[in-house]
Amino acid sequence: MHALKSNESVSNIDALKALAVKAGGAIMSIYQSDFSVTDKPDLSPVTEADIAAHNIIVKGLSLLTPDIPILSEESADDIKNSRVGWNTFWLVDPLDGTKEFIKRNGEFTVNIALIKDGVPVFGLIYVPVSQILYWGSEEGAFKQTLGSGVESIKVAGLPSMHEKWRVVGSRSHQSPEFEQFVSRLPQAETISIGSSLKLCLIAEGMADIYPRLTPTSEWDIAAGHAIVNAAGGQVLLLSSLAPLVYNTNSDSLINPDFIACAETCSIWSHS
């Protein structure tokens, strides 16, 4: 890999894709073994796969863009504390969906996003089990199965009066608030899936809306957010319908409630 300058940091898509695939390969090697699980101080689970993918991605991004700092879910606390004030940085979840990884249901991803002034301007998601890549930038949103061609993706239009709303929700984090939200829709079909795959379904037009009413961290959704934006959709604060932004809270990396959609609709937005 050759080093990239910050203003060309997403020009070498192939190098970034290769990095995500390499991390995914390390994850799959551990996935197929008798791995152990430990708890972090916040009681969230972590495995050797989380750490292995983190090390690969941080090393690779440091070589590609030595002038751009990196914030990963598995970064040390001093890095998480120093990120306040960063204007441009990589935001990484090396293994999103650790609970799904532990359950061995295949619904986990590698997430790499580039944040500029609070906005995710590039996102890359790799699904190790299915070997599918998603990415998005100002050039558009794309999907590729390894060994196959690249296809453009875009969000679906709003459902008509006689169509069901395809509502995507968490595999492991459903809530009464989610059920209440769904009940407001005239017709709804709920699709439950883990990790950032929920945002991928919105981006490729396989689901219409993703209301998230339980906590997520910024690294969980930044890559998917960028891909949804690139596919013509939006990720909005549920409270105000303003765009969700990143790295604005010095005390927390937890997102407020949000909704991913093609566009707002009076049926659910109270507008």
Side-chain angles (χ1 to χ4, degrees), residues 16-17 20-21 93 96 108-113 122-128 131-136 142-144 195-201 203 219-228:
L16 293 166
K17 287 160 60 178
V21 170
D93 193 338
D96 183 35
F108 51 87
T109 58
V110 176
N111 299 349
I112 301 173
F122 170 80
L124 173 65
I125 291 174
Y126 179 55
V127 192
Q131 297 188 318
I132 294 175
L133 285 155
Y134 297 87
W135 68 95
F142 305 93
K143 177 181 180 180
Q144 180 182 26
S195 72
S196 60
L197 287 167
K198 294 182 284 295
L199 289 159
C200 294
L201 290 182
W219 47 68
D220 292 323
I221 69 164
H225 183 169
I227 296 167
V228 168

Side-chain angles (χ1 to χ4, degrees), residues 20 27 73 91-101 105-113 123-128 130 132-135 142-143 153 168-173 191-207 209-210 212 215-229 235 246 255 258 260:
I27 288 170
E73 178 175 8
L91 184 54
V92 175
D93 193 338
L95 175 50
D96 183 35
T98 301
K99 290 184 178 179
E100 315 309 328
F101 178 88
N105 66 16
E107 296 174 359
F108 51 87
T109 58
V110 176
N111 299 349
I112 301 173
L124 173 65
I125 291 174
Y126 179 55
V127 192
S130 59
I132 294 175
L133 285 155
Y134 297 87
W135 68 95
F142 305 93
K143 177 181 180 180
I153 57 174
V168 66
S170 174
R171 175 77 73 192
S172 299
H173 302 279
I191 306 166
S192 296
I193 195 167
S195 72
S196 60
L197 287 167
K198 294 182 284 295
L199 289 159
C200 294
L201 290 182
I202 298 294
E204 62 182 320
M206 299 299 292
I209 193 168
Y210 167 33
R212 184 63 189 224
T216 56
S217 295
E218 293 189 5
W219 47 68
D220 292 323
I221 69 164
H225 183 169
I227 296 167
V228 168
N229 283 357
V235 178
Y246 294 78
N255 297 310
F258 66 86

Side-chain angles (χ1 to χ4, degrees), residues 72-132:
S72 164
E73 178 175 8
E74 308 309 331
S75 293
D77 287 343
D78 60 336
I79 295 176
K80 291 177 179 176
N81 293 333
S82 68
R83 49 91 191 175
V84 179
W86 290 356
N87 294 320
T88 300
F89 65 99
W90 293 106
L91 184 54
V92 175
D93 193 338
L95 175 50
D96 183 35
T98 301
K99 290 184 178 179
E100 315 309 328
F101 178 88
I102 294 167
K103 294 174 186 176
R104 298 183 190 269
N105 66 16
E107 296 174 359
F108 51 87
T109 58
V110 176
N111 299 349
I112 301 173
L114 184 67
I115 308 297
K116 289 190 176 183
D117 298 321
V119 178
V121 296
F122 170 80
L124 173 65
I125 291 174
Y126 179 55
V127 192
V129 168
S130 59
Q131 297 188 318
I132 294 175

Side-chain angles (χ1 to χ4, degrees), residues 222-245:
H225 183 169
I227 296 167
V228 168
N229 283 357
Q234 306 171 83
V235 178
L236 308 171
L237 295 171
L238 195 57
S239 59
S240 64
L241 301 184
L244 179 67
V245 294

Side-chain angles (χ1 to χ4, degrees), residues 246-270:
Y246 294 78
N247 202 31
T248 61
N249 186 344
S250 61
D251 298 321
S252 176
L253 286 157
I254 301 298
N255 297 310
D257 293 348
F258 66 86
I259 190 158
C261 57
E263 57 185 287
T264 57
C265 174
S266 60
I267 289 175
W268 55 262
S269 67
H270 306 296

